[in-house]
Amino acid sequence: GCGSSGCMTEEVRAEIYGSDYVFAAKRILDIVKTPAKTYPYYTSKDILPVLRKLRNEHVQGFKVTVLFSGDTGFYSGCEKMQEELIAEGYVDLRIMPGVSSVSMLAAKTGISWQDACIISTHGIDESKWTAELMKSVPFNKKTFFITSGVKDVDSVFSLLLENRLADVEVKLGYKLSYADEKIYSFKAKEYKLL
């Protein structure tokens, strides 16, 4: 989900607590409560060697949870992790989603998203997402845009201004679900670098 512990479902909490090992980015591990041994890893290249070692140490098997922030089905590291775990022979896999950032921003701004175009910069080549953005914003009533950080946000606004879309209404969510969350509302031309 979005990343804060409040966005974690009870099902996910139970899985974490019942695991022998938990892998996640450090910022996620900082909010997780578990008796499991934790590893600050979230990519398959870091996790798989540890799992191979653990597999050799455990005759009876063991339970692992890998946590990702973001939506599990939208340009997530979850997809690649699942593919690689299956290739390694792990068959008892479950994906459990939390609250997505699109759903959270829509709820916090009172905007529905069933008729919106949804685009991400996360894990996408810039030439592809910039083309998608310019196909969407001028021709759709709503576009939800998920970024990988401030640099992407700056690029989005530069692109909007270069393409004479300065009067587009924007709702910008920053650090959704965290204590320092902010939601801004303004026209594209009023954007200042974060």
Side-chain angles (χ1 to χ4, degrees):
C2 286
S4 74
S5 62
C7 291
M8 202 178 296
T9 66
E10 290 303 315
E11 180 183 37
V12 170
R13 277 185 217 286
E15 287 298 314
I16 292 167
Y17 196 80
S19 291
D20 297 305
Y21 304 96
V22 175
F23 295 85
K26 184 180 179 328
R27 70 181 173 84
I28 296 173
L29 289 176
D30 288 344
I31 62 167
V32 169
K33 306 275 188 269
T34 181
K37 177 157 177 50
T38 60
Y39 291 89
Y41 307 143
Y42 57 92
T43 63
S44 55
K45 75 174 181 61
D46 293 325
I47 293 172
L48 289 175
V50 176
L51 291 180
R52 288 181 196 117
K53 182 177 179 264
L54 292 172
R55 207 179 219 181
N56 290 332
E57 293 173 3
H58 290 272
V59 178
Q60 300 287 10
F62 53 96
K63 186 172 181 180
V64 173
T65 297
V66 179
L67 299 170
F68 293 97
S69 62
D71 190 306
T72 57
F74 196 70
Y75 299 105
S76 171
C78 181
E79 180 179 25
K80 182 177 182 191
M81 181 64 66
Q82 180 183 21
E83 290 170 3
E84 296 204 19
L85 287 171
I86 290 169
E88 289 276 327
Y90 293 95
V91 293
D92 188 14
L93 305 174
R94 290 186 355 180
I95 297 173
M96 294 176 280
V99 178
S100 75
S101 56
V102 171
S103 176
M104 180 168 282
L105 183 62
K108 289 185 177 267
T109 59
I111 298 172
S112 63
W113 55 283
Q114 72 264 8
D115 56 348
C117 179
I118 303 172
I119 301 170
S120 176
T121 67
H122 195 70
I124 307 295
D125 181 76
E126 186 170 351
S127 62
K128 183 178 178 191
W129 68 252
T130 55
E132 286 182 32
L133 182 70
M134 294 322 303
K135 286 180 193 168
S136 179
V137 173
F139 305 107
N140 289 290
K141 186 175 177 181
K142 304 171 199 168
T143 300
F144 279 79
F145 202 79
I146 301 166
T147 66
S148 293
V150 174
K151 180 180 174 277
D152 290 348
V153 175
D154 293 342
S155 295
V156 167
F157 282 97
S158 293
L159 196 59
L160 292 174
L161 296 176
E162 288 167 13
N163 286 277
R164 298 186 181 135
L165 295 167
D167 288 321
V168 167
E169 290 289 329
V170 175
K171 306 284 188 214
L172 180 98
Y174 174 74
K175 291 192 134 184
L176 294 176
S177 82
Y178 291 95
D180 54 348
E181 166 186 285
K182 291 190 174 49
I183 297 179
Y184 304 95
S185 183
F186 52 86
K187 289 187 185 280
K189 65 185 172 191
E190 297 167 335
Y191 173 72
K192 293 178 179 52
L193 300 180
L194 293 175

